[in-house]
């Protein structure tokens, strides 16, 4: 019997493949190695690359890159009118033979011409601008935490245990005392008198913590750390103002009722440390047209992360499951021989996923949260880390439904699921008890024991 040759159908007839590097970009316009060209990374090189693609009649381009080397070339190609997609390295890594930049570019071109590549999810220009501000903001917060830790260490080396007497040395009382120390006041009693009346420790206890050895080199280091701490806080406030102005510019003017205004104002009073100074609750309500703060455990920083890293682009995900998968909060099941050999969550850094994990971790420490029973069930079976991931996924699905469907947080649905689980577990317990064939006396003892544990 004569075998028929199978061939793939070409989808993109005018396709090119680009292997993006840190110092050069390798471009393939067909499967001929002689036509592969390498271009530099300067603006003039981008112009030459665009001219080369235009001369060869290219209309669609696939780029494969790591890091951020692709961004400037991607924008230049889009402005020139090309259809451009960015593909992950996992889609192009199975090239046969010796791996070189030329072979990689040809392989990318071939896969793209056959329509076998799918583009990565990319944010709109506005969201990219907001995301840049947010990531710079996170860097500033890391620096603030770094110099706070250094101030604590410097004081500890002088045996000034202000961190034990006061909960936060960078609060109003802590900064006042540190500034007085650097001004030359080393009298523990006078320093203790500077604390705010809201501090719970007595002034005698605080004075005891301020006895130590005033070493010059450590005081010099403390002054430098305090200056850096103040500088980064000023930079953080400036960054928040830039984010606020951009959000106000692109946020629709949605009318807010008087009742809703009071609720949003109440959220603003419960700010955590390093939360944005502006009213993020009101901005988020107008932007998403739903109240995300109604979800217990969602903080100002979580909502700020969501609005600056995704915003309205969340509607690009066709379902809540697709959104959770993009966040890498779902098991990556690998099946072989009809059974799952691995279900580890995909590795990778996603700022929204990190923020949701922090929120999920706080839910695990609460007793009366709607998702606390779910968290405890997963933690009992698979451990706390798995419970954090699973709860973060639950939050992602709730948030997607609230934003895309413009609906309020439905606590009833979560409670119904918890009740269904309790009924299932109760039936399992009843079946287990019936299998044991216990008599009336044994059952009485069992129920007495259960009532004691419940108390």
């Amino acid at each position: 019997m004569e075998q028929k040759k199978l061939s793939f159908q070409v989808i993109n007839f005018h396709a090119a493949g680009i292997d993006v590097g840190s110092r050069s970009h390798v471009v393939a316009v067909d499967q001929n190695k002689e036509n592969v060209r390498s271009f530099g990374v300067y603006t003039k090189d981008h112009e030459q690359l665009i001219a080369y693609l235009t001369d060869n009649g290219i209309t669609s381009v696939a780029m494969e890159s790591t890091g951020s080397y692709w961004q400037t070339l991607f924008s230049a190609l889009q402005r020139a009118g090309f259809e451009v997609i960015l593909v992950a390295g996992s889609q192009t890594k199975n090239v046969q033979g010796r791996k070189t930049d030329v072979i990689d570019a040809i392989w990318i071109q071939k896969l793209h011409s056959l329509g076998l590549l799918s583009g990565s999810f990319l944010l709109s220009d506005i969201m990219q601008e907001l995301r840049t501000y947010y990531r710079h903001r996170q860097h500033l917060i890391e620096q603030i935490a770094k110099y706070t830790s250094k101030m604590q260490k410097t004081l500890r080396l002088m045996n000034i245990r202000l961190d034990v007497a006061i909960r936060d040395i960078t609060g109003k009382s802590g900064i006042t005392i540190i500034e007085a120390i650097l001004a030359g006041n080393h009298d523990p009693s006078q320093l203790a008198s500077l604390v705010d009346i809201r501090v719970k420790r007595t002034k005698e206890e605080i004075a005891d913590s301020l006895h130590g050895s005033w070493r010059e080199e450590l005081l010099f280091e403390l002054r430098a750390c305090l200056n850096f701490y103040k500088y980064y806080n000023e930079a953080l406030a400036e960054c928040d103002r830039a984010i606020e102005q951009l959000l106000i510019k692109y946020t629709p003017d949605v009318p807010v009722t008087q009742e809703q205004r009071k609720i949003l104002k109440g959220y603003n009073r419960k700010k955590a440390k390093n939360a944005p100074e502006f009213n993020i609750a009101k901005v988020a309500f107008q932007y998403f047209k739903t109240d995300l703060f109604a979800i217990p455990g969602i903080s100002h920083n979580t909502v700020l992360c969501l609005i600056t890293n995704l915003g309205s682009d969340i509607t690009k995900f066709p379902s809540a499951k697709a959104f959770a998968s993009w966040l890498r909060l779902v098991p990556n099941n690998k099946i072989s021989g009809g059974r799952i050999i691995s279900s580890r969550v995909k590795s990778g850094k996603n700022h929204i996923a990190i923020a949701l994990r922090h929120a999920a971790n706080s839910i695990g420490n609460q007793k009366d949260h709607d998702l606390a029973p779910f968290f405890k069930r997963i933690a009992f079976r698979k451990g706390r880390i798995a419970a954090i991931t699973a709860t973060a996924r639950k939050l992602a699905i709730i948030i997607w439904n609230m934003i895309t469907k413009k609906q309020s947080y439905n606590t009833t649905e979560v409670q119904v699921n918890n009740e269904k689980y309790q009924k299932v577990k109760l039936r399992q317990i009843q079946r287990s008890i019936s299998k044991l064939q216990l008599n009336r006396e044994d059952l009485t003892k069992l129920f007495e024991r259960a009532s004691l544990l419940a108390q």
Side-chain angles (χ1 to χ4, degrees):
M1 183 177 179
E2 185 180 352
Q3 288 185 334
K4 294 183 179 179
K5 291 184 179 180
L6 297 176
S7 61
F8 288 102
Q9 183 179 1
V10 175
I11 303 297
N12 301 314
F13 290 93
H14 306 285
I18 303 178
D19 184 33
V20 179
S22 60
R23 295 180 179 272
S24 64
H25 306 321
V26 182
V27 182
V29 295
D30 53 31
Q31 293 297 292
N32 189 350
K33 287 186 178 181
E34 295 180 357
N35 292 331
V36 176
R37 291 276 305 275
S38 180
F39 297 88
V41 295
Y42 302 143
T43 302
K44 67 173 185 178
D45 299 318
H46 289 175
E47 294 171 354
Q48 293 173 3
L49 188 154
I50 291 170
Y52 177 71
L53 294 176
T54 304
D55 293 341
N56 284 273
I58 299 299
T59 58
S60 181
V61 180
M63 301 170 55
E64 188 270 319
S65 173
T66 56
S68 58
Y69 302 117
W70 59 272
Q71 293 186 1
T72 52
L73 179 60
F74 187 93
S75 299
L77 289 171
Q78 279 194 325
R79 287 194 299 269
F82 294 97
E83 179 188 346
V84 194
I85 64 169
L86 177 70
V87 299
S90 58
Q91 297 188 56
T92 61
K93 66 180 181 180
N94 294 323
V95 58
Q96 296 180 353
R98 187 168 60 89
K99 180 176 172 61
T100 65
D101 292 339
V102 173
I103 293 175
D104 282 349
I106 293 175
W107 182 244
I108 294 167
Q109 192 277 335
K110 184 174 184 178
L111 293 176
H112 185 43
S113 64
L114 296 174
L116 298 177
L117 297 177
S118 57
S120 301
F121 172 77
L122 297 175
L123 296 173
S124 60
D125 292 340
I126 298 169
M127 293 314 305
Q128 288 185 33
E129 187 177 354
L130 280 169
R131 183 180 63 180
T132 301
Y133 282 124
Y134 175 81
R135 293 188 177 178
H136 177 60
R137 186 179 192 276
Q138 291 301 103
H139 169 73
L140 295 175
I141 291 174
E142 289 172 4
Q143 297 305 309
I144 290 171
K146 175 183 176 181
Y147 285 104
T148 300
S149 179
K150 282 180 69 67
M151 283 192 289
Q152 288 177 340
K153 179 183 176 182
T154 304
L155 290 169
R156 188 167 61 248
L157 290 175
M158 293 188 291
N159 205 31
I160 306 299
R161 299 312 306 270
L162 191 61
D163 57 328
V164 176
I166 298 178
R167 186 180 63 178
D168 182 12
I169 68 165
T170 59
K172 180 181 178 182
S173 299
I175 293 295
T176 303
I177 291 174
I178 291 174
E179 288 176 340
I181 290 172
L182 294 174
N185 187 353
H186 298 164
D187 186 335
S189 299
Q190 292 183 11
L191 293 173
S193 65
L194 299 174
V195 299
D196 192 88
I197 58 174
R198 293 171 294 179
V199 176
K200 294 182 179 179
R201 295 289 181 97
T202 64
K203 292 184 179 180
E204 288 76 14
E205 289 179 279
I206 297 172
D208 290 340
S209 71
L210 294 171
H211 287 277
S213 56
W214 306 101
R215 294 164 53 182
E216 288 298 326
E217 75 278 14
L218 293 176
L219 289 171
F220 176 85
E221 184 180 5
L222 180 63
R223 178 177 283 103
C225 291
L226 180 62
N227 290 335
F228 279 120
Y229 172 82
K230 290 181 176 180
Y231 171 78
Y232 282 113
N233 267 285
E234 291 173 1
L236 180 63
E238 185 180 356
C239 185
D240 282 346
R241 286 192 291 271
I243 293 173
E244 181 184 15
Q245 290 173 5
L246 195 60
L247 286 175
I248 291 173
K249 182 179 179 181
Y250 292 104
T251 299
D253 188 15
V254 177
V256 181
T257 63
Q258 191 68 26
E259 182 181 355
Q260 189 64 47
R261 197 184 301 275
K262 288 182 180 179
I263 295 173
L264 297 175
K265 193 175 181 180
Y267 296 142
N268 211 40
R269 287 194 292 265
K270 300 176 182 178
K271 282 186 177 180
K273 197 172 182 66
N274 296 323
E277 290 297 327
F278 60 92
N279 192 347
I280 185 66
K282 181 181 177 182
V283 173
F285 180 80
Q286 292 180 313
Y287 194 89
F288 293 124
K289 299 181 180 63
T290 187
D291 184 10
L292 294 180
F293 284 94
I295 308 172
I298 294 295
S299 67
H300 291 76
N301 289 322
T302 303
V303 175
L304 180 65
C305 177
L306 185 68
I307 201 172
T308 54
N309 282 271
L310 195 58
S312 58
D313 287 358
I314 194 174
T315 56
K316 294 181 180 179
F317 296 98
S319 65
K321 290 183 178 180
F323 177 52
S325 178
W326 177 74
L327 293 175
R328 295 185 176 93
L329 293 175
V330 297
N332 182 28
N333 292 333
K334 296 180 180 179
I335 302 174
S336 179
R339 64 188 184 91
I340 299 175
I341 59 175
S342 174
S343 59
R344 284 182 175 272
V345 175
K346 283 184 178 180
S347 60
K349 184 178 180 181
N350 187 298
H351 288 271
I352 299 175
I354 293 172
L356 292 177
R357 286 179 191 274
H358 286 313
N361 187 47
S362 69
I363 288 172
N365 298 327
Q366 300 176 32
K367 293 183 179 180
D368 55 350
H369 196 282
D370 297 335
L371 295 175
F374 172 80
F375 185 98
K376 292 176 182 177
R377 290 200 304 268
I378 303 298
F380 179 77
R381 284 162 39 204
K382 297 184 178 181
R384 188 175 181 89
I385 295 176
I388 289 173
T389 302
T391 308
R393 177 191 171 276
K394 281 271 189 184
L395 290 173
I397 290 175
I398 291 171
I399 288 171
W400 184 90
N401 282 301
M402 288 180 66
I403 294 175
T404 56
K405 298 177 182 179
K406 302 294 184 291
Q407 64 185 24
S408 302
Y409 174 65
N410 188 3
T411 184
T412 306
E413 184 178 348
V414 179
Q415 292 174 353
V416 167
N417 290 334
N418 290 334
E419 290 174 0
K420 285 182 180 178
Y421 178 80
Q422 288 179 351
K423 290 178 181 178
V424 170
K425 293 299 293 183
L426 184 60
R427 285 197 296 268
Q428 291 176 353
I429 293 171
Q430 289 172 345
R431 284 196 295 266
S432 298
I433 291 174
S434 63
K435 287 180 182 179
L436 293 173
Q437 298 180 350
L438 301 176
N439 55 35
R440 185 180 295 275
E441 184 180 351
D442 293 334
L443 287 172
T444 303
K445 291 180 179 179
L446 181 64
F447 288 129
E448 288 177 352
R449 177 63 176 169
S451 62
L452 288 173
L453 291 174
Q455 294 175 1

